[in-house]
Amino acid sequence: DETALEATLLHELVHALQDQHYGLDRILKWRDDATDELSALSALAEGDATSAMLDAMLAETGRVAHELPTELLETQMRMMTGSAHDGAVVPGILKRSLISPYVDGLRFVHGVRQERGWQGVDEVWQRPPATTEQLLHLDKYRANEGAQAVPVPPAPPTAPAQGAWEVLLHDVWGEQSLRLLFEEWMPTRTAAVSATGWAGDRIVAFSAGEHRALAWHVVADDEEAARRMHVAFLRGVFGKGWSADPSPV
């Protein structure tokens, strides 16, 4: 309808301005081991555009978007972005991965606007969040808390009959991806808590003939965070009836 068309136009015009000033094609170009960084940049772009769009839609009321309750806006965003997939057979994790840049980015941008207004958002574009951890936790962005470098995990010690393992890909997925995976097995808030404390990761996929192997080395800030993540992985692997020792490994 006309309202949706206007909102879409406003949103995409902001992206055009972002590209004009910051070169979105350049900074969002895919590169090895950069999914986490690119996810943070994508969420910043979507949050910026969505916040400006909401400001325009609210103009007649005299209100601005970052003054509204965050939970209300997040619910509306999930409904708006999720409605496009109604009736389609789309895996839940794929739906959430499409929605999360808007919801997470909006929360970050509004946190910045509440402190420094649009000037603060302009300043963020000069030093964008380097990880989704910084995007999800404004205090960690302010502290410029970086990611711990994690080496590519080794291949399985035993190769199948088809031959040696070959690396298909390796990447850094970040806290946002960790949370999205945990949401497959637990409520959203529990998944967010379980993913908090991420310090770094490296994931690698191997191939040998028809065989595939996956290794994901996740590093936590401390033992408590490692324990939460370990328990979350156990819930996913063993389901509700898991009874394994939840100590860090």
Side-chain angles (χ1 to χ4, degrees):
D1 59 23
E2 185 175 346
T3 301
L5 288 173
E6 181 182 1
T8 302
L9 177 61
L10 292 167
H11 185 98
E12 298 307 326
L13 283 173
V14 177
H15 283 322
L17 289 168
Q18 293 167 346
D19 188 43
Q20 178 183 348
H21 288 272
Y22 308 114
L24 294 186
D25 283 348
R26 174 181 56 82
I27 65 175
L28 290 175
K29 185 176 182 180
W30 185 90
R31 55 190 186 277
D32 288 332
D33 301 312
T35 287
D36 184 40
E37 179 184 356
L38 296 178
S39 295
L41 287 167
S42 176
L44 171 61
E46 298 299 354
D48 181 14
T50 302
S51 186
M53 175 194 77
L54 291 172
D55 267 10
M57 301 299 289
L58 291 166
E60 293 183 358
T61 71
R63 305 189 70 179
V64 289
H66 68 274
E67 294 177 348
L68 299 180
T70 302
E71 295 77 9
L72 174 63
L73 289 175
E74 289 183 5
T75 299
Q76 291 179 335
M77 284 305 305
R78 292 182 192 277
M79 292 174 60
M80 290 168 59
T81 53
S83 62
H85 309 288
D86 287 349
V89 182
V90 180
I93 192 169
L94 181 56
K95 289 183 181 181
R96 297 193 305 277
S97 69
L98 294 172
I99 294 170
S100 60
Y102 299 88
V103 175
D104 296 336
L106 187 65
R107 188 188 305 116
F108 176 85
V109 167
H110 282 183
V112 173
R113 287 188 63 188
Q114 287 164 6
E115 293 182 349
R116 298 273 294 160
W118 282 116
Q119 178 181 344
V121 179
D122 291 341
E123 293 168 355
V124 168
W125 276 106
Q126 303 303 320
R127 184 181 71 84
T131 64
T132 56
E133 180 188 48
Q134 290 187 3
L135 180 93
L136 295 171
H137 306 280
L138 192 53
D139 58 330
K140 296 192 176 187
Y141 169 77
R142 295 192 201 97
N144 199 26
E145 182 175 323
Q148 180 175 326
V150 179
V152 176
T158 304
Q162 286 92 335
W165 293 107
E166 296 182 359
V167 175
L168 291 176
L169 64 89
H170 51 79
D171 206 345
V172 177
W173 275 7
E175 181 180 335
Q176 186 185 62
S177 293
L178 192 64
R179 186 202 71 203
L180 288 169
L181 178 63
F182 288 166
E183 288 176 0
E184 287 285 280
W185 313 321
M186 58 187 66
T188 301
R189 292 185 183 278
T190 307
V193 171
S194 298
T196 299
W198 174 94
D201 75 74
R202 185 71 75 88
I203 192 166
V204 58
F206 301 97
S207 172
E210 297 181 354
H211 294 267
R212 302 289 183 269
L214 181 73
W216 193 5
H217 185 178
V218 182
V219 179
D221 286 332
D222 50 46
E223 185 172 340
E224 181 181 351
R227 184 179 296 272
R228 290 197 305 268
M229 294 176 190
H230 190 59
V231 169
F233 274 112
L234 288 175
R235 287 182 63 174
V237 173
F238 296 107
K240 296 181 180 179
W242 68 268
S243 60
D245 177 13
S247 58
V249 294

